[in-house]
Amino acid sequence: MTTAEVPSVGDLLAERYRLEEHVGGANGYRQLWRGVDVLLHRSVAVVLRSPGGEDAAPTMTAAVAASRAHVDSMVDVYDAVDEGRFAYVVREWVNGSSLRGVLEKQTLESAHALELVASVADAVAALHEGGVTHADLHPGTILLSEDDRVMVTEPRNEPGNTQVEDVRALGATLYACLTGTWPRVVPAENTGLADAAHDEWGRVLDVDKVVPGLPAALTKLTADLLDHAQTPPSAAELAVDLRRLAETGGAEPAAAAAATPTSVLGAISLGRLGGGGSADSPPAGMKRLAVVAAVIAAVIFAGVVTSAVVFGDDDDPAGAEPQVTGEDTGADTSDAAGETPATAAPTEVALTADSIRVVDPPDGDRDQTEGVENVVDDNASTGWTTNTYRGDANFGNLKPGMGILIDLGEEREVASVRVQMTSAGATVGLLGGAEDPGDSSEGDQAIVDGFSVLAEQVPDADTNIELKASGETVRYIVVWVTELPTVSDGYKLTISDINVFAR
């Protein structure tokens, strides 16, 4: 650990968690880091608070409660350490996107929004049962993982926050899902969304005034949750009712509508007196949600694909939105009988150190081969690093780029290539060819001139991206970098891991 008041890249916490990249937060009170558990060789998120000690006690208590929550919509908390000057929570590194990232592009359909917020409510209910509050619920602290889960980041449990405030934040999150804006009647730090519209008296507009056609029951529920004059249900009770409404897309079932309750929240209370949740309601810890799959699919359709991103602090990493290369042409793949032929699922290609080499075309000095074998060792704590270049992110304008050539062993139809890097900001694409023209400066230039583009360049790439290939059959591919991310003394990149999937 350095003697500075805040840690820096490379510091080892608890003799186990090495800090790799400062992802978000100010250089003080609260920070989010991407790190590596050097004992288990896995990526982790490190949420660091300064100072530790008595000031960090609520955070430590909340971390313990989160680790015991046993709800699939809560991120896994691995460790919590108080070193006095610092206190930090170590949690899983989530592959996926924040809800904020999705809502910045599109709002959700009623049923999707209801089911998503119900999963968030499951996590909040588990925290409340453990005696703590979340105190930081908004779309930036709700994650949509690659394996189809809605996940809530670790709680802050700030003194003075109440369970009622958490439930109101659930209502504000529902409002945000439907409108893409945040109602400021529920305070939150840096939601990343525009303020909700108000009427001439300063009251937040009902959701059906913003999105015409939304069901009356959904509109009333959202309004009541935001109304400080109403006493909301518990998070667990709200989860049950949200799922009940989700079954009808937000409209009251005919029998319930006939009763015409004065308040949807009142109807929730009546339901509790009548025996609680429906026997058909999904379990509170339901892991795989069709809603998440639908949300991610919608984002892909809009032109982005899920990449490995860690979120959950007040600030998303700059440019850390899912990215894609290649496109679905929509071509008819059916055979003469009108049936779609069976297509083999892509499998990961087994790679060894003998399968790869560095591509460094003129005017490269070809002295940057050390450590290239680390990109295929499935160890995120090791990698291949370029030299530091100065003057321009394009390798100092000395050459067109650099890359890593991968020999697939035989011609394969490449489906995708996943690239994990230690910092965001590089420009990365994918090339392919039938032959390796030779491990020489001239051979590397021949690759630049002769290989075809399998996936277009992704500018300002995240730390983890998936390059979707064009489906061309090749034996050799090149992860091709044309611009480097900024470091303190110039431009440099470290690639930790490369995984290739082919048919």
Side-chain angles (χ1 to χ4, degrees):
M1 177 70 64
T2 63
T3 57
E5 280 302 311
V6 293
S8 59
V9 172
D11 283 343
L12 193 65
L13 304 181
E15 299 183 352
R16 179 171 182 174
Y17 307 110
R18 185 173 67 241
L19 300 180
E20 297 286 309
E21 180 187 11
H22 179 210
V23 177
N27 291 326
Y29 172 66
R30 182 180 170 88
Q31 300 180 6
L32 176 64
W33 287 77
R34 182 182 61 79
V36 172
D37 182 338
V38 298
L39 297 183
L40 297 181
H41 301 295
R42 66 181 176 186
S43 295
V44 295
V46 180
V47 183
L48 183 142
R49 176 176 177 140
S50 177
E54 183 177 349
D55 289 342
T59 300
M60 297 293 100
T61 300
V64 172
S67 70
R68 296 173 177 172
H70 303 302
V71 175
D72 287 313
S73 50
M74 174 67 68
V75 294
D76 288 335
V77 174
Y78 301 140
D79 206 350
V81 181
D82 189 348
E83 293 189 357
R85 288 187 306 152
F86 306 98
Y88 43 91
V89 176
V90 182
R91 62 165 168 86
E92 67 177 309
W93 170 279
V94 177
N95 294 332
S97 174
S98 71
L99 176 59
R100 169 166 59 196
V102 172
L103 296 180
E104 287 174 342
K105 295 176 175 64
Q106 64 180 75
T107 57
L108 305 186
E109 295 293 334
S110 299
H112 293 167
L114 286 161
E115 186 60 60
L116 187 150
V117 178
S119 293
V120 178
D122 291 338
V124 174
L127 292 174
H128 291 178
E129 185 176 351
V132 302
T133 61
H134 190 281
D136 193 32
L137 282 172
H138 58 75
T141 60
I142 298 168
L143 317 179
L144 307 178
S145 75
E146 283 185 338
D147 60 346
D148 298 346
R149 288 184 292 166
V150 173
M151 304 182 71
V152 180
T153 60
E154 75 290 333
R156 290 196 181 187
N157 194 35
E158 297 290 353
N161 191 72
T162 66
Q163 294 185 6
V164 167
E165 288 171 299
D166 275 353
V167 174
R168 294 211 191 285
L170 290 170
T173 300
L174 179 59
Y175 190 102
C177 288
L178 297 168
T179 68
T181 62
W182 183 262
R184 292 299 172 180
V185 293
V186 178
E189 296 180 15
N190 192 22
T191 66
L193 301 177
D195 288 353
H198 295 76
D199 63 18
E200 58 185 313
W201 295 282
R203 297 176 301 195
V204 175
L205 293 182
D206 287 346
V207 290
D208 63 350
K209 298 296 191 300
V210 182
V211 184
L214 289 179
L218 174 58
T219 298
K220 183 63 174 174
L221 170 63
T222 308
D224 285 349
L225 288 170
L226 299 179
D227 185 354
H228 287 256
Q230 298 264 7
T231 300
S234 70
E237 292 161 345
L238 179 60
V240 171
D241 201 70
L242 289 169
R243 288 196 170 97
R244 186 182 298 121
L245 280 178
E247 294 175 357
T248 60
E252 281 282 20
T260 318
T262 303
S263 164
V264 173
L265 293 182
I268 296 172
S269 299
L270 291 173
R272 294 199 298 272
L273 292 173
S278 166
D280 295 330
S281 297
M286 183 174 65
K287 181 173 182 177
R288 294 197 172 269
L289 295 169
V291 57
V292 185
V295 170
I296 295 298
V299 175
I300 293 173
F301 184 80
V304 292
V305 71
T306 306
S307 61
V309 187
V310 61
F311 293 96
D313 202 16
D314 290 337
D315 301 307
D316 287 347
E321 286 302 327
Q323 300 175 62
V324 69
T325 60
E327 61 179 345
D328 182 357
T329 62
D332 185 0
T333 59
S334 60
D335 59 19
E339 297 179 355
T340 302
T343 302
T347 59
E348 184 169 0
V349 179
L351 302 175
T352 67
D354 294 332
S355 307
I356 61 174
R357 71 172 178 85
V358 174
V359 174
D360 192 3
D363 290 322
D365 46 26
R366 300 182 58 77
D367 67 347
Q368 300 172 60
T369 60
E370 183 178 355
V372 67
E373 69 279 359
N374 294 329
V375 303
V376 293
D377 65 357
D378 290 323
N379 183 350
S381 64
T382 62
W384 169 76
T385 304
T386 69
N387 290 341
T388 300
Y389 291 82
R390 294 176 175 81
D392 195 280
N394 186 16
F395 293 88
N397 282 322
L398 299 175
K399 51 193 172 186
M402 288 187 71
I404 296 178
L405 177 77
I406 301 172
D407 182 358
L408 303 180
E410 61 181 352
E411 287 196 345
R412 304 280 299 269
E413 180 188 340
V414 179
S416 65
V417 177
R418 296 177 185 173
V419 184
Q420 180 173 340
M421 299 164 283
T422 60
S423 54
T427 297
V428 187
L430 192 64
L431 307 177
E435 297 181 357
D436 178 359
D439 187 2
S440 64
S441 185
E442 294 77 13
D444 289 352
Q445 184 61 53
I447 287 174
V448 175
D449 294 336
F451 272 31
S452 60
V453 175
L454 300 185
E456 296 291 343
Q457 294 273 295
V458 177
D460 195 23
D462 299 326
T463 55
N464 291 262
I465 61 171
E466 182 168 359
L467 299 167
K468 292 288 188 180
S470 59
E472 186 175 341
T473 298
V474 295
R475 173 167 175 172
Y476 297 92
I477 62 173
V478 177
V479 175
W480 183 237
V481 181
T482 57
E483 291 191 6
L484 302 170
T486 303
V487 294
S488 59
D489 55 348
Y491 304 91
K492 183 171 68 173
L493 175 67
T494 295
I495 297 178
S496 302
D497 280 303
I498 297 175
N499 303 93
V500 180
F501 298 85
R503 297 181 179 89

